[in-house]
């Protein structure tokens, strides 16, 4: 493929429709069009024109109306664009008609986001989730790929093979979707086993959520030294990373980042990523990272809160973390209960955040000294496995200094010599 042809394919005209009958989430605005342009740049494309149409109702056939289609076609030709990307969702038939009318590839915001996710997924789980979402998006659009046969409809010898091939493709994709769902169900089962182990060992889980590019990966890196790539671009991190974070001497948690949210996130993508996002439902605490430097932070926070509710985590305790506060341009920095302002880049406010997490997740753990008889080697193995063992000395007995959760304190109460006095109910057991 020539360089000129490649450049043409990567150039795009962006189109959006604002209609009275559409909901606020469905409409295109100047803000969402700017975000669409950022998504295009993230995917490696170049914006060569923007068209924002105001109309009472979408045109059933062309979505934006015949006159506006003509305007967009001229813009595509003059700019040498190879594709047109709509900020709104298009039906399969509208997408097919627009491709023919505009003489260019046509996709909507959902398809663009899916393409970015396909580029960024690194782990097997991430690739499975993206592939499932792509197939679910593709299935209702298959008919448009067989327009060369539709034009010959009624011609002898064409109708049967065309319909047969279309149905064959549909069956193939349905089989692929079924297989991918089975594989992701296995991922869910593995996560379930890991989750049960964490609950059993009383290890609290903190999940970082937020709008894409709010600084979630930068925060995780600063807190744990995770060394995740954290660039100033949308959807830079897709695959979940979990690290251990020591809040205090007696409080250790697991902290995970999640895929960033965005307005008009494709439904298929949310469904496909539930294997990852369901961790939110089981988290003990959410850190909702908000980009305080963005003038649209309220709208972005509302998008995240809506998706949190859809994923069943609305009742999970939450701390609102206003990141990039060093670049906040408002008069008063957001403040209040369960709200903290930080800069993950400079480290400002992180001590206060850690203090808030510690108060929320105090598990009742204690540092104790135990004297274990030598015939209790199994107990020592359990401590290494389930507790935080700090020191072991061998003398007349095995002296162990460790941080124990309440469950382990009860199990090991007979061997504790310092650091914790069992309450009366432990002895009654």
């Amino acid at each position: 493929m020539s360089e000129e042809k490649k450049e043409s394919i990567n150039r795009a005209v962006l189109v959006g429709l604002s209609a009275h009958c559409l909901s606020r989430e469905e409409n295109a605005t100047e803000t969402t069009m700017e975000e669409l342009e950022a998504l295009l740049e993230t995917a490696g494309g170049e914006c060569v024109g923007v068209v924002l149409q105001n109309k009472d109702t979408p045109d059933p056939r062309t979505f934006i109306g015949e006159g506006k289609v003509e305007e967009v076609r001229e813009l595509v030709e003059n700019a040498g664009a190879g594709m047109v990307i709509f900020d709104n969702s298009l039906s399969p038939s509208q997408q097919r008609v627009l491709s023919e009318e505009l003489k260019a590839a046509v996709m909507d915001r959902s398809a663009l986001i899916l393409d970015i996710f396909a580029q960024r997924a690194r782990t097997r789980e991430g690739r499975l989730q993206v592939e499932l979402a792509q197939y679910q998006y593709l299935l209702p659009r298959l008919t448009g790929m067989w327009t060369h046969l539709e034009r010959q409809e009624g011609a002898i010898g064409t109708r049967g093979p065309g319909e047969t091939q279309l149905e064959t493709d549909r069956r193939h994709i349905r089989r692929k979707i079924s297989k991918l769902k089975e594989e992701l169900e296995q991922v869910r089962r593995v996560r379930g086993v890991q989750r049960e182990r964490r609950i059993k060992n009383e290890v609290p889980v903190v999940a970082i959520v937020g709008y894409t590019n709010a600084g979630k990966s930068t925060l995780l890196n600063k807190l744990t030294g995770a060394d995740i790539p954290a660039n100033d671009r949308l959807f830079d991190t897709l695959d979940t990373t979990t690290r251990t974070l020591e809040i205090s001497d007696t409080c250790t948690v697991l902290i995970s980042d999640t895929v960033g949210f965005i307005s008009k996130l494709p439904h298929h993508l949310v469904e496909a990523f539930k294997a990852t996002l369901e961790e939110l439902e089981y988290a003990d605490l959410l850190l909702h990272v908000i980009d305080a430097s963005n003038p649209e932070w309220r709208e972005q926070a509302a998008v995240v809160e809506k998706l949190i509710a859809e994923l069943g985590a609305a009742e999970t305790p939450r701390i609102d973390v206003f990141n990039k506060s060093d670049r906040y341009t408002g008069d008063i920095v957001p403040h209040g209960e369960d709200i903290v302002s930080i800069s993950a880049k400079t480290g400002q406010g992180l001590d206060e955040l850690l203090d808030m997490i510690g108060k929320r997740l105090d598990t009742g753990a204690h540092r104790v000294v135990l004297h274990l008889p030598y015939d209790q080697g199994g107990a020592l193995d359990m401590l290494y496995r389930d507790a935080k063992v700090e020191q072991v000395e061998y003398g007349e007995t095995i002296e162990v200094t460790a941080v124990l959760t309440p469950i382990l304190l009860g199990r090991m109460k007979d061997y504790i010599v310092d650091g914790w006095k069992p309450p009366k109910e432990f002895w009654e057991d």
Side-chain angles (χ1 to χ4, degrees):
M1 186 184 293
S2 68
E3 288 300 317
E4 187 177 344
K5 185 70 173 174
K6 284 182 181 178
E7 285 184 16
S8 168
I9 290 174
N10 289 330
R11 287 180 185 151
V13 173
L14 307 183
V15 181
L17 174 68
S18 177
H20 298 307
C21 67
L22 296 179
S23 68
R24 182 180 176 183
E25 291 78 14
E26 294 172 314
N27 271 320
T29 64
E30 289 185 7
T31 300
T32 63
M33 295 299 289
E34 288 173 5
E35 192 171 75
L36 185 66
E37 185 174 350
L39 286 168
L40 175 62
E41 290 174 2
T42 298
E46 177 191 359
C47 174
V48 293
V50 177
V51 176
L52 183 57
Q53 164 78 320
N54 290 299
K55 193 172 169 64
D56 288 335
T57 57
D59 185 273
R61 182 172 177 273
T62 64
F63 193 68
I64 55 175
E66 300 292 342
K68 193 60 72 170
V69 168
E70 179 63 31
E71 180 186 326
V72 174
R73 180 167 57 238
E74 290 179 5
L75 186 54
V76 168
E77 290 175 358
N78 294 336
M83 59 183 168
V84 178
I85 304 176
F86 280 73
D87 190 45
N88 316 77
S89 293
L90 298 174
S91 70
S93 62
Q94 287 168 340
Q95 192 170 343
R96 184 170 67 250
V97 168
L98 286 164
S99 294
E100 294 174 353
E101 296 275 340
L102 297 172
K103 303 293 189 291
V106 173
M107 67 173 69
D108 57 17
R109 185 185 182 100
S110 294
L112 180 59
I113 293 175
L114 286 171
D115 183 81
I116 294 169
F117 272 55
Q119 290 182 40
R120 295 287 166 79
R122 293 289 178 267
T123 64
R124 176 176 173 272
E125 178 187 353
R127 288 194 293 267
L128 282 174
Q129 291 171 132
V130 173
E131 191 178 353
L132 174 60
Q134 286 178 315
Y135 276 123
Q136 289 174 325
Y137 179 83
L138 175 64
L139 187 59
R141 290 164 173 79
L142 271 181
T143 306
M145 298 178 182
W146 290 96
T147 51
H148 63 292
L149 292 169
E150 287 180 2
R151 294 191 193 103
Q152 301 174 23
E153 188 174 0
I156 295 172
T158 58
R159 181 182 299 180
E163 291 180 352
T164 301
Q165 184 61 58
L166 184 57
E167 284 306 312
T168 299
D169 286 357
R170 281 177 176 154
R171 282 196 296 273
H172 172 70
I173 287 181
R174 288 190 181 109
R175 282 196 297 269
K176 287 287 292 183
I177 287 174
S178 179
K179 185 173 183 297
L180 288 166
K181 284 183 175 179
E182 288 176 9
E183 292 185 56
L184 283 171
E185 188 56 41
Q186 177 61 28
V187 171
R188 275 198 175 98
R189 284 194 288 270
V190 171
R191 284 187 182 278
V193 171
Q194 294 171 340
R195 192 181 301 120
E196 287 175 8
R197 190 176 299 129
R198 291 199 305 260
I199 293 172
K200 182 179 178 182
N201 295 340
E202 294 190 5
V203 181
V205 176
V206 178
I208 303 176
V209 299
Y211 210 77
T212 183
N213 206 31
K216 300 181 298 301
S217 296
T218 303
L219 177 59
L220 187 66
N221 286 343
K222 201 73 173 181
L223 291 175
T224 67
D227 198 27
I228 304 169
N231 301 305
D232 186 18
R233 60 183 183 180
L234 304 182
F235 297 119
D236 195 54
T237 307
L238 289 190
D239 302 309
T240 300
T241 302
T242 301
R243 293 288 185 269
T244 300
L245 173 63
E246 289 196 18
I247 302 296
S248 65
D249 290 345
T250 59
C251 182
T252 300
V253 304
L254 291 177
I255 183 165
S256 301
D257 71 339
T258 58
V259 62
F261 297 142
I262 196 169
S263 61
K264 306 178 187 178
L265 194 65
H267 174 72
H268 295 318
L269 207 52
V270 176
E271 284 295 313
F273 271 74
K274 274 191 173 175
T276 300
L277 295 174
E278 71 177 2
E279 285 293 294
L280 302 186
E281 185 180 352
Y282 296 96
D284 299 284
L285 179 67
L286 301 182
L287 300 184
H288 178 185
V289 180
I290 300 166
D291 181 356
S293 69
N294 193 314
E296 306 289 333
W297 70 261
R298 290 178 180 82
E299 289 76 11
Q300 293 182 351
V303 168
V304 175
E305 288 170 7
K306 181 181 177 184
L307 286 166
I308 286 173
E310 285 181 15
L311 293 164
E315 301 303 316
T316 304
R318 189 173 83 213
I319 296 174
D320 289 336
V321 182
F322 283 84
N323 189 27
K324 308 182 188 180
S325 58
D326 52 322
R327 290 157 48 190
Y328 182 68
T329 56
D331 296 328
I332 303 175
V333 177
H335 61 283
E337 187 178 0
D338 294 328
I339 294 176
V340 60
S341 294
I342 70 161
S343 170
K345 188 175 182 180
T346 66
Q348 171 193 333
L350 293 186
D351 288 341
E352 185 181 352
L353 174 60
L354 289 172
D355 185 57
M356 291 178 77
I357 295 172
K359 287 177 180 176
R360 277 285 194 168
L361 298 178
D362 183 7
T363 60
H366 287 267
R367 177 181 286 101
V368 296
V369 177
L370 306 97
H371 285 178
L372 296 176
Y374 279 90
D375 60 1
Q376 292 297 318
L380 182 59
D381 289 340
M382 181 178 68
L383 290 175
Y384 273 119
R385 187 176 64 251
D386 299 335
K388 181 183 175 183
V389 176
E390 297 178 344
Q391 185 176 336
V392 178
E393 293 184 1
Y394 294 88
E396 293 184 9
T397 59
I398 306 172
E399 183 176 296
V400 183
T401 302
V403 177
L404 273 58
T405 62
I407 288 179
L408 286 175
L409 288 170
R411 289 178 182 171
M412 306 300 294
K413 62 180 185 293
D414 294 336
Y415 307 110
I416 296 174
V417 296
D418 189 25
W420 180 72
K421 183 178 180 181
K424 184 179 179 182
E425 58 266 23
F426 275 93
W427 298 115
E428 290 175 348
D429 289 344

